[in-house]
């Protein structure tokens, strides 16, 4: 039985999809005003594990992730600056260039971390029409009002407002009295459409029935998930900071407009912390994947590090812990290489060599862990126990390892890329492997994209008859 912790009920629930055999899932993606830090990547990794577990259980998953390129303000209270415009100003670039370059950097991180990309990336600026439609829908139903800086959602009109976050609305009203905007009707009301400042042109702004401006951040996810997944879908996820206000507001918008339940399972991962505080761009205590690579770690060392913790637990980052993970991963790869060697030496083998009963016993133990709310530490323990089982042949072990790696995503079936090995950085080797996979799956568009990515990093791939060669471009 597949079970997830559902933030709605605060309990572990059996997963039952809306449509048999199919899952529709949405994750809140990056705000592309800066590089992702490894805390952000923890969340994208957890969503990747969730996707892999659903697929392992035989579900056909339609997976959508948004790219926020407008409207995410520096303060949750709808008062701050737009993070995108601020970054563009600081870097002296156009906001569109900022969006493009950090989206590219994000997709590169995803590739390096072996995170399976969504079926569709939805960019907020591509869905302005749908966002305006949703405001019109809310306006017709009486959920909106207009004040000097924009169109707002009246949360007092939505009786179950705050249920997801178990909000103490009265306490919030009282606590926020000092900051409370005189024009807003309730503290929890939020912007659906913000007007461009008077006498100032924003780089990103659009006409609307209410005036020139831009959509509030929460609106994009309601409008884009409706367009791509329908009014009611199975799973919505990201990290705990989004429970309030972001997801709380998404529910209020979607359910008020659509008149039906929005999402069945809300799944939230906990944070990666730096010391005792959360890793965050605003606190300035963040590390990027590139920094780890420069320090000589492979993105998959970091992936192994993340596998050691349950997604619902806080995880403290430290170089010592990452070193331990790197050793663990190296050790594992060593064991797998020995198995490959042993199988090679045994000569031709086929599946008749597998004892079906023993094989499925291990698979069952593994499934029990991963299906129990994505228990990765448990699944990893099963993995190591399996490798130590003297009753299994090398061939059986290797097959089980490859099967389990469909979840772990540690590239255990990949041969280490050769060719003057030591000079080729780890990230290039990973990209080469990704490209080989794309070619194998006949996804030539992706394979070309990865080749270009590699070229951008200063390396060239030469496809030979039986091998590939990687050359540094001088
Ligand atoms: P952002 O680009 O700020 O919209 O964040 C992208 C994703 O990273 C969101 O799902 C956030 O909830 C998540 N996130 C932000 N900080 C952390 C952290 N320290 N640990 C884990 N996830 C985080
Ligand atoms: Zn969202």
């Amino acid at each position: 039985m597949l079970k997830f912790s559902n933030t709605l009920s605060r309990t572990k629930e059996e997963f039952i999809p809306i449509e048999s055999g199919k899952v529709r899932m949405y994750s809140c993606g990056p705000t592309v005003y800066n590089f992702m830090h490894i805390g952000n990547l923890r969340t994208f990794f957890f969503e990747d594990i969730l996707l892999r577990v659903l697929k392992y259980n035989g579900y056909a998953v339609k997976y959508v992730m948004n790219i926020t390129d407008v409207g995410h303000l520096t303060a949750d209270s709808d008062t701050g600056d737009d993070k995108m415009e601020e970054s563009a100003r600081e870097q002296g670039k156009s906001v569109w260039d900022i969006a493009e370059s950090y989206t590219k950097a994000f997709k590169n991180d995803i590739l390096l971390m072996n995170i399976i990309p969504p079926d569709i990336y939805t960019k907020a600026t591509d869905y302005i029409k749908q966002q305006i439609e949703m405001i019109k829908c809310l306006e017709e139903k009486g959920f909106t009002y207009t004040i000097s800086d924009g169109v707002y959602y009246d949360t007092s009109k939505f009786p179950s407002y705050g249920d997801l976050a178990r909000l103490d609305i009265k306490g919030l009203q009282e606590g926020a009295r000092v900051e409370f905007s005189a024009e807003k009707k309730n503290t929890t009301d939020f912007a659906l459409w913000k007007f461009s400042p008077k006498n100032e042109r924003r780089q990103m702004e659009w006409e609307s029935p209410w005036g020139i401006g831009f959509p509030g951040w929460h609106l994009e996810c309601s409008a884009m998930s409706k367009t791509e997944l329908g009014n009611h879908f199975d799973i919505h996820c990201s990290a705990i900071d989004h429970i309030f206000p972001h997801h709380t507001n998404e529910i209020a918008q979607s359910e008020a407009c659509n008149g039906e339940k929005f999402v069945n399972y809300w799944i939230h991962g906990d944070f990666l912390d730096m010391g005792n505080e959360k890793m965050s761009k605003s606190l300035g205590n963040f590390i990027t994947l590139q920094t780890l690579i420069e320090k000589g770690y492979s993105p998959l060392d970091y992936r192994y590090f993340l596998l050691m913790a349950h997604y619902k637990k806080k995880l403290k980052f430290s170089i010592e812990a990452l070193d331990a993970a790197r050793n663990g991963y190296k050790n594992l790869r060593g064991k797998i290489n020995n198995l490959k060697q042993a199988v090679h030496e045994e000569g031709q083998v086929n599946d008749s060599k597998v004892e079906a009963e023993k094989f499925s016993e291990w698979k069952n133990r593994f499934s029990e862990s991963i299906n129990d709310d994505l228990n990765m530490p448990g699944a990893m323990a099963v993995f190591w126990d399996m490798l130590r089982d003297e009753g299994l042949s090398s061939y059986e072990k290797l097959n089980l390892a490859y099967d389990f790696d469909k979840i772990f995503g540690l590239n255990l079936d990949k041969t280490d890329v050769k060719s003057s090995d030591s000079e080729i950085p780890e990230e290039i080797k990973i990209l080469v492997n990704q490209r080989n996979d794309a070619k194998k799956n006949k996804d030539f568009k992706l394979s070309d994209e990865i080749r270009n990515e590699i070229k951008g990093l200063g390396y060239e791939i030469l496809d030979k008859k039986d091998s590939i060669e990687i050359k540094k471009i001088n």
Side-chain angles (χ1 to χ4, degrees):
M1 190 204 291
L2 181 55
K3 283 188 281 177
F4 301 127
S5 288
N6 190 348
T7 308
L8 265 181
S9 63
R10 300 288 196 277
T11 57
K12 242 192 253 183
E13 291 177 21
E14 180 183 356
F15 176 68
I16 301 167
I18 296 168
E19 227 182 306
S20 167
K22 295 188 179 163
V23 179
R24 280 168 292 143
M25 166 166 148
Y26 185 96
S27 295
C28 294
T31 308
V32 284
Y33 70 107
N34 201 336
F35 293 108
M36 288 294 104
H37 57 60
I38 57 172
N40 301 130
L41 291 173
R42 179 184 189 198
T43 296
F44 300 123
F45 158 83
F46 129 69
E47 291 155 352
D48 179 53
I49 294 291
L50 174 57
L51 176 69
R52 286 168 183 263
V53 167
L54 289 164
K55 289 186 170 180
Y56 194 88
N57 279 275
Y59 288 110
V61 187
K62 182 170 180 192
Y63 180 28
V64 177
M65 181 186 281
N66 66 309
I67 303 276
T68 300
D69 56 355
V70 68
H72 195 167
L73 304 185
T74 49
D76 274 343
S77 52
D78 290 319
T79 50
D81 199 354
D82 186 322
K83 292 185 183 189
M84 297 293 304
E85 301 253 344
E86 188 182 70
S87 172
R89 248 193 328 272
E90 278 169 12
Q91 298 192 34
K93 290 187 181 155
S94 93
V95 79
W96 301 97
D97 286 346
I98 290 284
E100 197 188 318
S101 66
Y102 288 119
T103 301
K104 197 159 170 267
F106 161 73
K107 288 185 178 169
N108 192 37
D109 283 353
I110 293 298
L111 211 58
L112 289 172
M113 288 276 299
N114 216 8
I115 289 171
I116 301 171
D119 299 297
I120 311 176
Y121 279 116
T122 54
K123 213 162 55 155
T125 50
D126 286 343
Y127 290 77
I128 298 295
K129 193 171 131 258
Q130 290 85 341
Q131 295 181 71
I132 290 176
E133 285 307 312
M134 189 165 255
I135 305 176
K136 280 193 204 158
C137 168
L138 291 168
E139 188 176 43
E140 274 160 28
K141 295 189 174 189
F143 284 91
T144 67
Y145 62 94
T146 301
I147 57 177
S148 56
D149 73 344
V151 181
Y152 280 72
Y153 184 105
D154 183 347
T155 52
S156 68
K157 297 268 171 70
F158 187 69
S160 57
Y161 185 80
D163 280 4
L164 178 77
R166 307 273 200 273
L167 272 195
D168 166 16
I169 294 181
K170 213 163 153 264
L172 263 179
Q173 293 286 32
E174 283 161 9
R177 206 172 292 148
V178 191
E179 275 183 69
F180 191 57
S181 146
E183 287 188 89
K184 258 171 46 168
K185 292 187 182 170
N186 311 285
T187 327
T188 45
D189 292 356
F190 56 90
L192 295 164
W193 188 261
K194 290 273 284 184
F195 300 137
S196 293
K198 290 194 180 69
N199 315 321
E200 196 186 307
R201 285 214 59 167
R202 279 172 50 95
Q203 292 188 49
M204 284 180 171
E205 56 181 19
W206 295 265
E207 299 273 359
S208 83
W210 311 277
I212 292 177
F214 60 100
W217 169 44
H218 315 296
L219 188 63
E220 66 178 80
C221 291
S222 284
M224 298 193 297
S225 63
K226 179 180 167 80
T227 310
E228 302 301 341
L229 298 173
N231 291 350
H232 177 209
F233 57 94
D234 300 285
I235 299 178
H236 195 316
C237 38
S238 71
I240 47 168
D241 58 332
H242 281 175
I243 298 173
F244 178 76
H246 187 52
H247 290 162
T248 297
N249 294 350
E250 280 187 37
I251 293 173
Q253 295 163 152
S254 295
E255 297 194 352
C257 171
N258 302 333
E260 57 180 301
K261 187 171 183 182
F262 181 35
V263 167
N264 283 356
Y265 299 86
W266 288 91
I267 310 180
H268 293 100
D270 211 320
F271 274 149
L272 181 80
D273 283 354
M274 212 38 183
N276 288 324
E277 50 186 17
K278 87 168 206 189
M279 182 174 290
S280 92
K281 281 165 236 168
S282 54
L283 291 173
N285 61 353
F286 68 92
I287 300 181
T288 63
L289 193 62
Q290 283 308 319
T291 309
L292 292 186
I293 292 169
E294 278 156 25
K295 286 183 189 293
Y297 297 94
S298 146
L300 296 185
D301 292 334
Y302 182 55
R303 194 171 166 104
Y304 192 91
F305 167 81
L306 293 175
L307 282 165
M308 297 295 123
H310 192 273
Y311 78 96
K312 290 208 59 86
K313 294 234 166 77
K314 275 202 198 316
L315 177 60
K316 258 191 200 176
F317 179 79
S318 71
I319 286 294
E320 295 72 31
L322 184 61
D323 281 338
R326 175 161 62 179
N327 285 338
Y329 182 42
K330 193 167 160 221
N331 198 353
L332 181 61
R333 283 203 79 94
K335 293 243 173 334
I336 299 297
N337 283 341
N338 291 344
L339 289 174
K340 284 181 194 168
Q341 188 63 30
V343 170
H344 182 72
E345 280 162 14
E346 279 166 21
Q348 273 297 313
V349 274
N350 58 45
D351 285 347
S352 64
K353 287 232 174 153
V354 172
E355 268 188 53
E357 207 175 302
K358 257 195 300 177
F359 202 78
S360 58
E361 221 173 86
W362 277 109
K363 261 183 85 92
N364 288 344
R365 274 186 64 186
F366 182 73
S367 287
E368 257 171 47
S369 280
I370 62 168
N371 288 353
D372 178 14
D373 201 17
L374 316 176
N375 180 358
M376 288 305 117
M380 206 31 110
V382 172
F383 191 6
W384 281 103
D385 282 352
M386 179 280 287
L387 291 175
R388 283 189 283 262
D389 181 354
E390 288 176 3
L392 287 172
S393 69
S394 300
Y395 184 72
E396 286 167 326
K397 284 184 187 176
L398 197 58
N399 272 273
L400 282 165
Y402 290 166
D403 184 66
F404 295 176
D405 201 37
K406 287 181 193 152
I407 300 295
F408 297 137
L410 292 169
N411 277 354
L412 298 178
D413 59 341
K414 306 281 185 316
T415 26
D416 299 326
V417 176
K418 291 281 182 298
S419 106
S420 58
D421 240 356
S422 59
E423 289 152 38
I424 307 290
E426 193 64 26
E427 64 173 321
I428 302 293
K429 291 183 198 169
I430 293 172
L431 287 172
V432 169
N433 273 323
Q434 309 278 14
R435 179 175 167 269
N436 287 350
D437 273 359
K439 271 178 71 181
K440 231 188 280 161
N441 297 332
K442 300 206 176 344
D443 187 344
F444 298 113
K445 188 169 162 274
L446 180 64
S447 113
D448 282 350
E449 271 174 27
I450 301 175
R451 178 198 280 272
N452 286 337
E453 192 68 53
I454 293 171
K455 210 167 175 186
L457 293 166
Y459 290 83
E460 194 176 8
I461 300 184
L462 304 170
D463 286 304
K464 297 279 158 87
K465 195 163 161 278
D466 297 315
S467 63
I468 46 158
E469 200 181 305
I470 311 167
K471 259 179 54 185
K472 197 166 175 25
I473 307 168
N474 295 312

